[in-house]
Amino acid sequence: MNKVPFVTKEKVEEIVKTYPTPFHIYDEKGIRENARRVNEAFSWNKGFKEYFAVKATPNPYILQILKEEGCGVDCSSLTELELSEACGFTGEDIMFSSNVTPAEEYVYAKKLNAYINLDDFSHIDFLKDCAGIPETICCRFNPGGKFSLGTDIMDNPGDAKYGMTKEQIIEAYKKLKSLGAKKFGIHSFIASNTVSNDYYPTLAGILFDLAVEIKNAAGVELSFINLSGGVGIPYTPDKEPNDIMAIGEGVRQKFEEILVPNGLGDVKIFTEMGRFMLAPYGALVTQAIHEKKIYKDYIGVDACAANLMRPAMYGAYHHITVLGKEDAPCDTVYDVTGSLCENNDKFAIDRKLPKIDMGDYIYIHDAGAHGFAMGYNYNGRLWSSELLLQEDGSVKLIRRAQTDKDYFATFDFGEYFDKINFKG
Ligand SMILES: *Cc1c(COP(=O)(O)O)cnc(C)c1O
């Protein structure tokens, strides 16, 4: 599978006349089409809802598009709740799947009538004391051990800080019921970035069996089962992407096999995907500004890890297209680097690319989720703008670039702020 940019070199040349590089750009058409496929894949389930994980791409214009496609939001912090509220999400449109939650965030989530998803047994009393137990409540499950699909170990939930053990979660439902809760949900996130059509169906099987056990052991019938995130995308061009229709069908089969015969056929299926909803529909566009040849050949670009941290943080692969050189042979080996004084600030290492000239635009694929959002300001590097390629082909600014004044804004109380000679 060759990865194809959703903007051409000509389009970028037009965009930079108004919005200089680096910038993140999102493809509205791609986002909408994918969201529609997700809803279609689960249309067999009456109450299905995708709660987009806000942390992946916390931009109100993106949230608005997803809202129009019928999605809710998954939040885990006060500011994510505030952003969602500003976008018009209310009550059952909001899933609050937090952990290590401060009291004021529970209070706010309860005020918004969001679904509150408890990460731990001890949070029952914590929530009761700070906000009260709502009528509908969700608990997060952690099965422990290692999670495998076939012979592949996918992740290590036994090592993850999230969720409750099976014994705890059964006790949690009993306790919540005794405290007046009337409706219940379960949530679990046990593997990240799975590129396999079996992840959701396997997780669904585990949670559906557990739902039956909870019904028998705690006398609680779950109203919803939240499969959370973890459906991934292939960052490398050699892998097959997930087939969301096959995934939806796999979950349906488990539903028919386990829930329906046990009188739980009304359960609503929820998802909380971030990466699958947005990653392929966003890119970081940056320009080659330096070439340096020492022991290796380096291309220096005007973006850095502060704009896209995944390669530096996880050693993650992000595919690169040199715009206008799509068909040129990849006959030169480069490290593509940013300007941070950190040697891990490399978008690509030993990557075979077409010969790059100064001024070339470098398109870094699959940056639409956990991309801009993980940005930081190390070395005083500023956040880029975010742009939306709209369905009619026009480009809209959906977040302006950070300025030096924004960067220094938290000094606005004292004697230094007024002495800074702001350039931009
Ligand atoms: C991060 C996160 C998600 C989204 O994960 P993706 O891998 O982007 O799908 C969903 N739910 C919770 C609770 C998360 O922390």
Side-chain angles (χ1 to χ4, degrees), residues 141-159:
F141 173 57
N142 181 336
K146 295 222 191 325
F147 177 72
S148 321
L149 291 177
T151 53
D152 292 343
I153 294 179
M154 304 297 288
D155 223 318
N156 192 357
D159 227 19

Side-chain angles (χ1 to χ4, degrees), residues 3-16 21 23-30 280-286 320-326 361-366 387-390 392-396:
K3 286 189 181 274
V4 181
F6 57 80
V7 285
T8 59
K9 178 184 178 202
E10 291 68 34
K11 185 75 188 174
V12 167
E13 283 171 344
E14 180 196 320
I15 294 169
V16 297
T21 56
F23 54 79
H24 281 264
I25 186 162
Y26 303 92
D27 173 22
E28 177 173 8
K29 186 158 177 278
Y281 315 109
L284 173 59
V285 179
T286 179
I320 284 177
T321 299
V322 183
L323 293 176
K325 297 184 176 173
E326 284 81 353
Y361 294 108
I362 310 276
Y363 179 103
I364 304 178
H365 291 256
D366 300 320
L387 308 176
L388 181 67
L389 177 65
Q390 300 183 107
D392 65 3
S394 63
V395 170
K396 177 168 156 178

Side-chain angles (χ1 to χ4, degrees), residues 53 55 74 97 140 187 189 192 228-230 272-275 370:
K55 74 162 190 259
D74 157 41
S97 292
R140 184 166 182 165
H187 167 280
F189 187 164
S192 212
S228 191
E272 261 177 4
M273 293 181 279
R275 196 184 314 270
H370 313 295

Side-chain angles (χ1 to χ4, degrees), residues 213-224:
E213 205 173 327
I214 289 165
K215 184 180 174 187
N216 296 331
V220 158
E221 288 195 20
L222 297 179
S223 312
F224 65 85

Side-chain angles (χ1 to χ4, degrees), residues 179-220:
L179 291 170
K182 300 271 188 300
K183 285 179 158 183
F184 304 88
I186 195 167
H187 167 280
S188 192
F189 187 164
I190 55 180
S192 212
N193 194 31
T194 57
V195 185
S196 157
N197 293 336
D198 295 332
Y199 171 63
Y200 261 4
T202 305
L203 172 63
I206 294 169
L207 293 179
F208 294 172
D209 282 334
L210 183 56
V212 175
E213 205 173 327
I214 289 165
K215 184 180 174 187
N216 296 331
V220 158

Side-chain angles (χ1 to χ4, degrees), residues 135-361:
E135 201 175 280
T136 306
I137 190 82
C138 183
C139 295
R140 184 166 182 165
F141 173 57
N142 181 336
K146 295 222 191 325
F147 177 72
S148 321
L149 291 177
T151 53
D152 292 343
I153 294 179
M154 304 297 288
D155 223 318
N156 192 357
D159 227 19
K161 66 174 177 169
Y162 309 107
M164 310 184 204
T165 67
K166 187 192 277 195
E167 292 69 32
Q168 289 172 336
I169 210 166
I170 290 171
E171 286 311 305
Y173 290 116
K174 289 184 191 167
K175 181 163 178 171
L176 288 161
K177 196 168 133 189
S178 76
L179 291 170
K182 300 271 188 300
K183 285 179 158 183
F184 304 88
I186 195 167
H187 167 280
S188 192
F189 187 164
I190 55 180
S192 212
N193 194 31
T194 57
V195 185
S196 157
N197 293 336
D198 295 332
Y199 171 63
Y200 261 4
T202 305
L203 172 63
I206 294 169
L207 293 179
F208 294 172
D209 282 334
L210 183 56
V212 175
E213 205 173 327
I214 289 165
K215 184 180 174 187
N216 296 331
V220 158
E221 288 195 20
L222 297 179
S223 312
F224 65 85
I225 295 180
N226 184 341
L227 303 174
S228 191
V231 177
I233 61 137
Y235 285 94
T236 52
D238 56 318
K239 270 199 212 157
E240 264 306 294
N242 284 325
D243 175 353
I244 197 68
M245 298 311 291
I247 291 173
E249 173 57 21
V251 175
R252 190 191 66 79
Q253 284 173 15
K254 295 283 182 190
F255 192 94
E256 297 292 337
E257 192 182 302
I258 303 169
L259 291 183
V260 173
N262 282 287
L264 291 166
D266 288 333
V267 168
K268 297 172 184 162
I269 301 300
F270 294 165
T271 56
E272 261 177 4
M273 293 181 279
R275 196 184 314 270
F276 188 79
M277 301 306 288
L278 248 302
Y281 315 109
L284 173 59
V285 179
T286 179
Q287 189 172 36
I289 57 172
H290 286 288
E291 178 168 15
K292 164 168 183 169
K293 297 182 181 191
I294 45 170
Y295 310 103
K296 293 174 94 170
D297 200 343
Y298 295 94
I299 294 294
V301 297
D302 61 3
C304 66
N307 307 113
L308 178 66
M309 193 192 209
R310 297 186 71 261
M313 186 165 178
Y314 308 119
Y317 180 97
H318 276 263
H319 198 62
I320 284 177
T321 299
V322 183
L323 293 176
K325 297 184 176 173
E326 284 81 353
D327 299 321
C330 293
D331 54 7
T332 315
V333 176
Y334 295 112
D335 281 15
V336 178
T337 78
S339 58
L340 294 187
C341 302
E342 274 285 350
N343 196 39
N344 67 3
D345 184 14
K346 296 183 175 180
F347 291 117
I349 298 174
D350 298 331
R351 185 80 56 91
K352 282 188 175 153
L353 292 166
K355 185 180 174 323
I356 294 173
D357 295 296
M358 293 308 91
D360 279 354
Y361 294 108

